[in-house]
Structures are given as structure tokens and as C-alpha cells.
């Protein structure tokens, strides 16, 4: 193939007469741009003599007979191994796919030539437009089918700190679609399970016999996928329909749909990947269920054996849990504790359905005997996750927000080239200079500034924290090596509202030389779902592994319409061409792929 390519190049350059003054060409490595470079005329040859000699050679020499050395024609063993390597093939396919997609849908501009960085499923621009019209019609929670008691708990507790209480795009779309099912009484009437005034004895016994065997019959599963950008209120998007359906069954006294047993039961489950998310979501559930009057509980890796065993003895409406502890409790119980579970929500589904939790999550999803509603919720749709759902749940209804895979527009993204002066590829110096500039900036005047620094490996956290504390910054590090109590106490300062500087003394924290900054150095353990409302700045100390990690890390700021900034530090080796244009892609509001 290389010999044929060289012959074609020679024919194009000399045989077809493209160059009026033919020049000698020298073969170079196949990895270069065109395979040939032009050689400058040697000393002693004038242009006229060179032209005559070239004309004479062209008269008696056929271009097809040009010979090349075997070292140029035959590829080396290293080149052959690179051609056959899976990563090389995958990168070529990614570049080809991006080029074709960019020609058809110019709105979806992603990082080209990015290899494994581009792992997200692309959503066509034409599929996003109709959603905007639907969201515009559903401009208030009154236009959505929610019980009054649920709407009052929403206004009085979940949204009490917001001045404007209106649904986000994913909340409006999800509540409208999930709550489109008829109420339990209507479903009972359609199935002939409600008592009639002129009911005969035969109809009565037939209805009782049907209700008695109802728990043995399979029901049609309704599955949904909720996908929206980070900080868009996805928790309430699936929680409001869940509590409304649970309360509706209770208020309308629908025993045929929900036959409450005498023994302990679990009516619904919310699966999350980390113990921190269990605490965060359980706090929202308990706050709302205080008015709605539903029982809730939490289960994670940090839950003690006694607390876990106590869950088996209760009647729980909503259980927030991580997969592994719930699976252990399921195996340790004499009966199937999820037998009466009708509704399951899988939050951060792309993480729970990857190879780390996929087997445990799927075993939990297969445990309920009469599962009616299954909701997957995620801020990103990786290609592998999309193929898994399409294979396992082909009839799934997808509810996708118009701005999926976009970094929120109120977040400013910038890249710092640490190879330039005065850093000279020293990321630590670049990080320190960035923090000093943030300290002197006029953002949040008079308030304490919280900054989160993300690294790729937890081994980097202690050294970076020690370096920042040596420069009189107040920095703390959090990894999986810390216990839940330590992580919760360190994270509490970055979750609570931003205090003013005169109130810092009441926070019981050590104050360094830079008094306006608090820095948290962590890994991806806190990049998913954690609501850091007081964090305005995210620093990406390491380039994320993929566009998934980039979206989740950047999503810790700019939540629920707030402003924020993301700063990426890149060395000379990391600053690839597609990474240089990443800031422009994000700031223009394009979706990543």
C-alpha cells in the first residue's frame, strides 16, 4: 500500500505536470504529512540546467519505474503493532464518526481527535427543539398532576429558600410523563376490581378470587430514563412523582393495587452509588415526608449491622440505599424483603450500571416480584450505558432535557497553559498563582470563598494538601480512605451556605494567611450528585479521563442557575489541539460528545 501511495504521489507531482519546474523528491517516513518533501537545488546547478536535465530524464524514464528502498516501503514491527492495536483503530473510528456528525449536526461540536475522551452518546439537535416548547407550556407546578399535600411540602420545605418556585426543564418533563398513568381507582375500575352497587354473588366471589391471586400475577413494567445536565434538580424530578404515587395509593385506599401485608415491607427503593448521596437524598426525603407522612430510611456501607437488621422489622415507604449493603441485607433475610417493592429509582445510573456495580444493581432490580415503575436517572449517557439499556429495556421511555451534555451556560470555562512563563510546566506553581488571583478577585466580596480542586488519583491528594498548607492556604483533602464521619465533617463547610468573613470565627476552622479561601482537594468521590451550593470555583488540577468526568466535576458549581467558573490546568504534554478549543466549545453552549 505504501509503494502504491508513493507511485501515485510521483505521478501527480511529475507525470501530470502539476509543477512547471519539476524538482527531485526524497522519500521520508510514512508518519509525515505527505510522504515527500521538496529538496532544494544543489549548489552548482542553475535553473536552466536543472530544467533541461529533468526534461531529459522525463523523456527516457517512466514514473512507474521509480524504485524505493525496502526500509521505506516495508513498515517496521512497531508500526505494524500500532496499526493492529485496538486503541489506534478506536481513535480512527472516533475521528471518522465526529467528522460525519459535525457535517450533519453542526450544533453538536465536541472535542475532535480526542480518542477515549469522547464517550458520550450524541443527541441530535432536531430532537432537542420540540422539548423547549413543552417546557415553556409547563411553567408552574400547578400545571402538573401532583397531590396538594405534595405541592405544599414542595413549596414549604424543598424550595423554601428559592424566591421563584417554578419547575426546571427536567422536572416539568419527568413529572408530566411519569404521572400520566391514571390514578389507582381508575385502574381498579378498568380491571373490574372495585365493588359495584348491583354486584351479584358470583361477581363478588370472582372479584375476591382475582384479588387474592393478584400478587402472583405479573404486571407490565413502565421504565423511564431521566437525563439532564448537572444542577438541574433531577432529585426532585423523580422524587415528586414517587411520593405522589405512593401517597395517592394510600389516600385512595387501593388494596388491590397495593396489598399491605402484616409483615415488614419496603414499598420503594432509591439506589445511589455513595454513602454521601444516601445522606443528602435521605435528608430531602425526610424533610418532605414530614408533611406527607411517609416512612423513610437509609442504608449504606457505613450503616451498622444493628441498624441494617432493624430495617427488616419496619414498614418502609422509601428506602435510600447503596447496592452492596442492600444486597447483603437481602441475602441475610429469610424472605425476600423486596417482594412487595413496586417502584425503584436508580440515581447516577451510568455509574451504577457500569462494570463496577452492574451485577449488584441488576440483582436488586430482579428481586421484586411485581415491579411496576423503574426510573433511571443520570446527568450523562455514555455509549456503553445506552447500549445496555437498549438491550435490557427496549421499550424504555426516554425523558431527556434540551441541554443534556452541556456545561451550564452560567459557568465560565478557561484553560491555563502551565508550560508558559512563569510556571514552566510546574502545575503546583500554577495552582498557587490561581488561588492567589482568586483571593484578590472581587467575586463574592466580604464572603468566604470555597474552592474545590479535583485530581485523578487519590495518591496525589496528601502531597498537594501539604504543599498548599505550606503556602498558608487552608486546604483539606478527602478521599475514600477517610471514614464517613471524617468526610461528612470536612464536606459540611462546602455544602452549607456561604458565610460572611466576620462570621468565620464561629465556624471553628483553622485560619491561614489567606483568610478568604477554603480549598478542598478531592477525587471523583465527590464529583457525582453532591450539592455544593456555596462553591463558586472548580479547579481541574488533572485533565479528566473523559468527557463524563469533565461534566460531573464542572457540575459541582453553577447549580440551579447560580454562577460559577471552572479552571483547567494543563501541561505541555496534556494541552492537545482539541483541549485548546475545549473552552470555546463549552462557553458557546455546545454539547460535548
Amino acid at each position: 500500500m505504501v509503494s502504491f501511495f508513493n507511485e501515485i504521489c510521483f505521478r501527480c507531482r511529475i507525470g501530470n505536470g502539476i509543477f512547471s519546474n519539476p524538482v527531485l523528491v526524497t522519500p521520508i517516513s510514512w508518519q509525515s504529512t505527505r510522504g515527500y518533501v521538496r529538496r532544494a537545488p544543489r549548489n552548482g546547478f542553475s535553473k536552466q540546467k536543472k530544467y533541461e536535465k529533468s526534461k531529459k530524464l522525463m523523456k527516457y524514464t517512466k514514473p512507474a519505474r521509480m524504485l524505493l528502498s525496502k526500509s521505506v516501503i516495508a513498515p517496521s514491527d512497531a508500526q505494524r503493532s500500532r496499526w493492529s492495536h485496538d486503541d489506534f483503530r478506536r481513535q480512527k473510528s472516533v475521528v471518522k464518526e465526529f467528522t460525519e456528525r459535525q457535517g450533519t449536526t453542526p450544533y453538536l461540536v465536541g472535542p475532535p481527535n480526542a480518542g477515549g475522551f469522547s464517550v458520550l452518546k450524541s443527541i441530535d439537535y432536531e430532537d432537542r427543539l420540540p422539548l423547549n416548547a413543552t417546557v415553556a407550556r409547563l411553567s408552574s407546578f400547578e400545571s402538573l398532576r401532583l397531590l396538594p399535600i405534595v405541592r405544599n411540602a414542595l413549596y414549604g420545605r424543598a424550595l423554601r429558600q428559592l424566591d421563584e418556585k417554578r419547575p426546571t426543564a427536567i422536572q416539568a418533563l419527568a413529572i408530566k410523563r411519569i404521572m400520566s398513568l391514571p390514578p389507582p381507582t381508575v385502574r381498579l375500575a378498568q380491571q373490574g376490581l372495585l365493588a359495584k352497587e348491583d354486584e351479584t354473588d358470583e361477581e363478588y366471589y370472582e372479584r375476591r378470587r382475582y384479588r387474592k391471586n393478584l400478587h402472583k400475577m405479573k404486571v407490565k413494567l413502565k421504565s423511564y430514563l431521566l437525563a439532564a445536565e448537572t444542577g438541574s434538580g433531577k432529585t426532585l424530578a423523580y422524587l415528586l412523582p414517587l411520593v405522589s404515587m405512593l401517597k395517592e395509593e394510600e389516600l385512595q385506599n387501593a388494596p388491590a393495587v397495593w396489598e399491605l401485608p402484616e409483615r415488614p415491607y419496603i414499598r420503594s427503593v432509591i439506589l445511589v452509588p455513595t454513602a454521601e448521596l444516601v445522606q443528602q437524598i435521605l435528608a430531602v426525603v425526610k424533610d418532605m415526608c414530614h408533611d406527607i407522612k411517609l416512612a423513610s430510611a437509609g442504608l449504606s456501607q457505613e450503616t451498622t449491622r444493628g441498624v441494617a437488621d432493624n430495617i427488616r422489622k419496619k414498614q418502609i415507604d422509601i428506602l435510600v440505599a447503596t447496592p452492596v449493603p442492600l444486597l447483603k441485607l437481602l441475602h441475610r433475610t429469610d424472605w425476600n424483603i423486596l417482594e412487595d417493592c413496586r417502584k425503584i429509582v436508580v440515581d447516577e445510573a451510568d455509574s451504577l450500571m457500569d462494570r463496577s456495580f452492574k451485577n449488584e444493581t441488576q440483582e436488586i432490580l430482579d428481586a421484586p416480584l411485581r415491579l411496576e415503575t423503574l426510573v433511571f436517572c443520570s446527568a450523562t449517557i455514555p455509549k456503553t450505558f445506552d447500549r445496555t439499556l437498549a438491550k435490557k429495556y427496549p421499550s424504555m421511555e426516554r425523558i431527556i432535557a434540551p441541554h443534556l451534555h452541556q456545561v451550564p451556560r452560567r459557568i465560565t470555562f478557561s484553560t491555563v497553559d502551565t508550560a508558559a512563563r512563569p510556571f514552566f510546566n510546574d502545575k503546583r506553581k500554577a495552582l498557587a498563582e490561581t488561588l492567589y488571583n482568586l483571593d484578590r478577585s472581587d467575586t463574592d466580596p466580604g464572603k468566604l470563598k470555597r474552592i474545590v480542586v479535583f485530581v485523578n488519583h487519590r495518591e496525589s491528594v496528601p502531597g498537594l494538601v501539604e504543599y498548599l498548607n505550606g503556602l498558608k492556604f487552608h486546604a483539606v483533602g478527602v478521599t475514600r480512605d477517610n471514614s464517613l464521619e471524617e468526610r461528612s465533617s470536612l464536606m459540611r463547610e462546602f455544602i452549607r451556605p456561604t458565610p460572611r468573613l466576620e462570621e468565620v470565627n464561629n465556624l471553628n476552622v483553622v485560619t491561614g494567611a489567606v483568610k478568604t479561601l477554603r480549598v478542598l482537594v478531592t477525587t471523583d468521590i465527590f464529583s457525582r450528585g453532591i450539592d455544593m451550593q456555596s462553591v463558586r470555583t472548580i479547579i481541574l488540577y488533572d485533565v479528566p479521563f473523559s468527557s463524563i468526568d469533565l461534566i460531573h466535576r464542572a457540575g459541582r458549581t453553577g447549580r440551579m442557575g447560580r454562577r460559577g467558573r471552572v479552571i483547567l490546568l494543563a501541561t505541555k504534554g496534556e494541552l492537545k489541539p482539541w483541549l485548546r478549543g475545549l473552552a470555546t466549545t463549552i462557553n458557546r453552549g455546545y454539547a460535548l460528545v
Side-chain angles (χ1 to χ4, degrees):
M1 184 179 72
V2 177
S3 177
F4 177 74
F5 175 76
N6 294 333
E7 181 178 345
I8 292 299
C9 290
F10 185 86
R11 287 179 180 271
C12 292
R13 290 174 178 269
I14 298 178
N16 294 334
I18 295 178
F19 297 102
S20 59
N21 184 9
V23 294
L24 297 178
V25 293
T26 303
I28 61 174
S29 172
W30 69 277
Q31 296 176 345
S32 298
T33 307
R34 293 299 180 192
Y36 288 88
V37 295
R38 301 178 64 178
R39 179 189 296 171
R42 297 180 179 177
N43 295 333
F45 283 88
S46 64
K47 292 184 178 181
Q48 184 64 25
K49 289 183 178 181
K50 182 178 177 182
Y51 174 75
E52 293 176 357
K53 186 175 180 179
S54 300
K55 188 176 180 180
K56 186 176 180 181
L57 288 174
M58 291 177 63
K59 182 178 181 180
Y60 298 103
T61 306
K62 295 181 180 180
R65 301 295 300 172
M66 184 182 72
L67 300 178
L68 298 175
S69 63
K70 293 183 178 180
S71 61
V72 177
I73 298 176
S76 62
D77 295 337
Q79 293 170 355
R80 290 182 182 276
S81 63
R82 184 186 176 202
W83 290 344
S84 60
H85 198 272
D86 292 340
D87 292 340
F88 180 75
R89 293 178 180 176
R90 189 181 303 113
Q91 184 171 358
K92 289 182 64 178
S93 63
V94 168
V95 173
K96 181 180 178 181
E97 180 183 353
F98 170 78
T99 304
E100 295 175 353
R101 183 170 63 254
Q102 194 178 30
T104 56
T105 55
Y107 178 80
L108 297 176
V109 179
N113 303 327
F117 189 86
S118 300
V119 294
L120 293 173
K121 174 181 173 58
S122 61
I123 308 298
D124 293 337
Y125 180 53
E126 291 76 9
D127 296 338
R128 300 171 184 258
L129 283 178
L131 300 175
N132 292 321
T134 304
V135 173
R137 291 196 304 267
L138 306 174
S139 58
S140 65
F141 286 103
E142 281 73 13
S143 59
L144 300 171
R145 186 182 145 225
L146 293 173
L147 291 178
I149 188 174
V150 176
R151 193 178 294 112
N152 294 336
L154 173 67
Y155 291 153
R157 294 186 176 273
L159 303 180
R160 59 179 175 270
Q161 296 180 352
L162 298 181
D163 297 332
E164 188 177 8
K165 299 176 175 59
R166 57 183 304 173
T168 61
I170 188 61
Q171 291 171 358
L173 295 172
I175 297 173
K176 181 179 183 299
R177 301 282 279 276
I178 296 177
M179 296 299 294
S180 60
L181 292 174
T185 52
V186 177
R187 281 181 285 167
L188 289 175
Q190 293 174 351
Q191 297 174 4
L193 296 177
L194 290 180
K196 303 178 183 178
E197 295 182 359
D198 54 348
E199 186 177 31
T200 63
D201 293 342
E202 294 181 358
E203 292 176 343
Y204 171 78
Y205 287 114
E206 180 67 22
R207 181 170 56 82
R208 290 292 301 270
R209 190 181 306 110
Y210 186 80
R211 286 180 52 178
K212 185 177 181 180
N213 298 325
L214 189 62
H215 66 281
K216 301 179 182 179
M217 301 179 183
K218 291 186 178 181
V219 295
K220 184 178 180 181
L221 176 65
K222 293 287 294 183
S223 56
Y224 304 90
L225 172 62
L226 307 186
E229 64 277 11
T230 57
S232 58
K234 292 187 295 297
T235 301
L236 290 178
Y238 65 74
L239 186 59
L240 291 176
L242 177 64
V243 297
S244 186
M245 287 188 295
L246 292 175
K247 195 64 179 179
E248 192 174 42
E249 292 175 357
E250 178 183 321
L251 293 177
Q252 295 188 1
N253 191 17
V257 175
W258 179 249
E259 191 73 28
L260 296 177
E262 297 296 333
R263 54 177 172 77
Y265 57 80
I266 298 175
R267 296 180 65 185
S268 63
V269 175
I270 300 177
L271 287 179
V272 294
T274 62
E276 287 77 16
L277 276 177
V278 170
Q279 289 184 340
Q280 177 177 297
I281 296 177
L282 185 61
V284 179
V285 171
K286 284 186 174 295
D287 193 22
M288 291 191 60
C289 290
H290 180 76
D291 294 342
I292 303 175
K293 304 305 179 185
L294 292 175
S296 59
L299 181 64
S300 66
Q301 298 90 334
E302 306 295 334
T303 304
T304 61
R305 177 72 175 266
V307 175
D309 290 338
N310 193 32
I311 293 178
R312 300 185 301 172
K313 306 174 184 178
K314 294 182 178 181
Q315 296 178 345
I316 300 174
D317 296 314
I318 302 175
L319 176 65
V320 186
T322 52
V324 176
L326 180 57
L327 202 57
K328 290 180 179 179
L329 186 64
L330 184 63
H331 293 163
R332 201 166 60 243
T333 309
D334 298 335
W335 72 93
N336 184 3
I337 62 174
L338 297 180
E339 179 180 353
D340 301 305
C341 181
R342 303 294 185 92
K343 300 169 179 60
I344 293 181
V345 177
V346 183
D347 200 357
E348 301 296 338
D350 59 332
S351 177
L352 291 178
M353 293 298 289
D354 65 4
R355 56 185 179 182
S356 301
F357 294 100
K358 182 178 180 180
N359 296 333
E360 292 82 358
T361 303
Q362 194 60 53
E363 186 173 354
I364 293 174
L365 298 182
D366 296 338
L369 301 179
R370 301 188 64 239
L371 185 62
E372 294 179 347
T373 307
L374 176 60
V375 179
F376 291 93
C377 184
S378 178
T380 53
I381 306 180
K383 297 175 184 176
T384 55
F385 174 60
D386 179 68
R387 289 193 293 267
T388 301
L389 293 183
K391 181 180 179 180
K392 187 68 177 178
Y393 306 98
S395 60
M396 171 175 288
E397 187 173 356
R398 303 188 174 221
I399 306 173
I400 298 176
H403 301 290
L404 180 65
H405 295 164
Q406 297 179 16
V407 176
R409 295 295 299 271
R410 298 178 71 85
I411 295 179
T412 304
F413 191 94
S414 59
T415 303
V416 176
D417 185 4
T418 61
R421 294 181 180 180
F423 309 126
F424 300 103
N425 266 347
D426 191 340
K427 273 193 176 182
R428 289 190 171 187
K429 289 183 179 179
L431 175 60
E433 182 65 24
T434 302
L435 293 177
Y436 281 125
N437 291 335
L438 293 173
D439 177 48
R440 294 189 293 266
S441 66
D442 57 352
T443 57
D444 291 335
K447 291 186 178 181
L448 192 67
K449 301 175 184 178
R450 277 75 173 270
I451 301 170
V452 178
V453 180
F454 281 106
V455 297
N456 288 342
H457 306 285
R458 60 181 177 180
E459 293 80 10
S460 307
V461 173
L464 200 57
V465 172
E466 183 179 358
Y467 172 77
L468 293 178
N469 287 329
L471 297 178
K472 303 303 180 182
F473 289 102
H474 179 262
V476 294
V478 178
T479 63
R480 294 189 183 273
D481 298 331
N482 303 97
S483 64
L484 180 61
E485 291 75 12
E486 293 175 348
R487 297 198 300 262
S488 300
S489 63
L490 294 175
M491 282 293 300
R492 193 173 297 114
E493 183 180 351
F494 292 85
I495 295 177
R496 67 177 67 184
T498 304
R500 302 195 65 84
L501 291 178
E502 54 267 19
E503 303 173 0
V504 172
N505 295 331
N506 299 328
L507 295 179
N508 297 324
V509 295
V510 180
T511 302
V514 184
K515 299 182 179 181
T516 64
L517 298 183
R518 295 293 181 268
V519 183
L520 173 67
V521 184
T522 184
T523 58
D524 281 337
I525 185 177
F526 287 136
S527 66
R528 286 181 173 268
I530 302 299
D531 190 9
M532 301 180 182
Q533 299 182 6
S534 61
V535 175
R536 293 286 299 272
T537 305
I538 300 293
I539 298 179
L540 305 179
Y541 186 81
D542 295 326
V543 177
F545 292 119
S546 65
S547 52
I548 299 175
D549 300 327
L550 174 63
I551 289 177
H552 283 285
R553 292 180 185 182
R556 295 316 98 204
T557 186
R559 303 183 66 82
M560 296 300 293
R562 298 179 178 88
R563 293 189 177 275
R565 67 167 68 89
V566 179
I567 302 173
L568 173 64
L569 306 182
T571 60
K572 183 178 180 180
E574 297 172 336
L575 202 59
K576 297 176 176 59
W578 62 264
L579 192 59
R580 294 179 183 273
L582 191 59
T584 304
T585 300
I586 292 176
N587 292 330
R588 288 183 179 180
Y590 296 143
L592 297 180
V593 294

